[in-house]
Amino acid sequence: MPRRLEIILGPTAVGKTGYAIRRALECGSPVISCDSRQIYQELKIGTAAPSDEELAAVRHYFIRTTPITRYYTAGIYEVEALDLVNRLFAEGHETLVMCGGSMLYIDAFCYGLDDFPEVPIQLREHLMECLQSEGVDVLAQELKELDPVTYSEIDLSNGQRVIRALEVCMYTGKPFSSFKTRSFKERDFEIVKVGLERPREALYERINARVLAMIDAGLEAEARSLLPYRALPALQTVGYKEFFEYFDGTCNLDETIRCIQRNTRHYAKRQLTWWRRDPSIRWIPAE
């Protein structure tokens, strides 16, 4: 029987975690997380990481395993996840279940990433300091001058993405986009993508309700404990960025909550836009 990996994907709050656990139990598989934020140890409430009960139901990988101080990328995830998957297949698993909503991480795992040059850590740290002191808009404008193609393609509110593109431009003197060859790597196992979907209004209601549940669970205190690390790439995340602005006194709590809800809805829309271009995804209604 061919080795098979099933990826459960879909927009935030659609219900991926519960569905993936049910599939994993049916297949005798662990759940391999493919979420660029749930991997961080300190980010629990704001990333909607699986609950203790869900983690006890089936073994999970890449959930709260990496400190926020570690610089982690889709390229690192590709290497570590492929190593894990090959090890699990070698142990006798015939079907494995992966679950997540991080578009770039899923693409990295399925197709591989282009070979971007490594840059000195000092340059990255300098840009991270600039991000904290000057804001992402200033860095984005610099990226626009050096690489207008990448500027037009990436999420300019994501400080980590802007820094990654900008550091390559500055270190090599070439546009970040010039390194993108899109030469897909072959995997020696079958990959099946299953997308979960809900009607837009129902999804948005779930998003709004989940943000309120995060507030009740202590998101404000979690964000406050991470305030000294606000410049780190891991903290350029919806739910934390908005609270940092609240702590700065630029908005009140009600406005902060509404901003988190709105920005989460916008993120869900970007996820769907990204995946609608992939004809290999089989879309099914979320339960």
Side-chain angles (χ1 to χ4, degrees):
M1 179 178 293
R3 302 183 302 175
R4 168 190 172 104
L5 184 133
E6 185 172 315
I7 302 179
I8 312 302
L9 55 83
T12 185
V14 76
K16 296 184 295 294
T17 297
Y19 182 86
I21 289 174
R22 292 192 294 273
R23 283 293 298 141
L25 291 172
E26 292 171 2
C27 300
S29 167
V31 172
I32 303 167
S33 174
C34 193
D35 187 292
S36 65
R37 291 301 182 260
Q38 291 181 359
I39 195 169
Y40 290 112
Q41 294 169 354
E42 297 86 351
L43 310 187
K44 180 179 181 181
I45 299 172
T47 62
S51 66
D52 292 341
E53 292 75 17
E54 289 168 331
L55 292 174
V58 63
R59 185 169 185 179
H60 284 68
Y61 290 93
F62 298 109
I63 293 290
R64 302 184 67 199
T65 55
T66 297
I68 56 173
T69 51
R70 179 188 177 193
Y71 187 77
Y72 200 86
T73 66
I76 297 172
Y77 178 82
E78 176 194 355
V79 172
E80 294 186 349
L82 276 174
D83 179 70
L84 170 66
V85 165
N86 288 325
R87 178 159 48 86
L88 291 172
F89 278 137
E91 292 174 359
H93 289 279
E94 295 178 347
T95 299
L96 294 174
V97 174
M98 177 176 282
C99 174
S102 297
M103 300 87 78
L104 187 59
Y105 276 43
I106 291 174
D107 276 6
F109 178 83
C110 293
Y111 312 119
L113 291 179
D114 298 302
D115 294 325
F116 292 103
E118 286 299 316
V119 302
I121 188 63
Q122 294 86 353
L123 174 57
R124 181 173 301 140
E125 290 175 345
H126 168 69
L127 290 174
M128 288 170 60
E129 291 174 359
C130 292
L131 176 65
Q132 182 175 13
S133 61
E134 302 177 18
V136 70
D137 291 342
V138 173
L139 297 181
Q141 285 303 309
E142 190 167 355
L143 177 63
K144 184 178 182 179
E145 295 179 6
L146 297 176
D147 187 356
V149 173
T150 297
Y151 175 87
S152 68
E153 292 179 345
I154 68 171
D155 176 10
L156 297 174
S157 66
N158 187 317
Q160 183 174 1
R161 299 281 168 80
V162 172
I163 285 176
R164 179 57 179 144
L166 187 56
E167 67 184 9
V168 170
C169 294
M170 296 174 68
Y171 181 61
T172 66
K174 300 177 181 179
F176 180 80
S177 55
S178 69
F179 291 93
K180 300 172 74 172
T181 63
R182 301 309 297 167
S183 55
F184 293 162
K185 302 173 185 175
E186 294 292 332
R187 305 306 187 201
D188 60 356
F189 47 85
E190 180 186 10
I191 295 177
V192 176
K193 299 176 186 175
V194 178
L196 303 186
E197 59 183 353
R198 294 180 186 270
R200 185 178 65 176
E201 290 306 315
L203 178 64
Y204 285 2
E205 288 177 4
R206 286 174 62 91
I207 288 172
N208 292 340
R210 189 169 77 173
V211 170
L212 294 178
M214 289 177 177
I215 300 299
D216 291 341
L219 178 57
E220 179 180 349
E222 181 173 90
R224 192 178 295 277
S225 72
L226 297 167
L227 189 57
Y229 306 98
R230 64 186 297 174
L232 293 178
L235 272 300
Q236 311 310 307
T237 302
V238 175
Y240 299 98
K241 294 189 299 183
E242 295 82 359
F243 261 113
F244 295 153
E245 294 177 1
Y246 167 64
F247 299 148
D248 289 340
T250 60
C251 54
N252 62 42
L253 182 58
D254 288 341
E255 291 170 335
T256 299
I257 294 171
R258 286 195 296 270
C259 283
I260 295 173
Q261 291 173 324
R262 180 199 65 205
N263 292 341
T264 305
R265 294 193 301 268
H266 289 174
Y267 178 58
K269 184 177 180 180
R270 290 197 301 272
Q271 289 174 302
L272 288 170
T273 299
W274 180 289
W275 284 319
R276 292 301 184 192
R277 299 175 294 186
D278 186 346
S280 70
I281 299 174
R282 177 171 64 90
W283 292 94
I284 63 173
E287 298 176 2

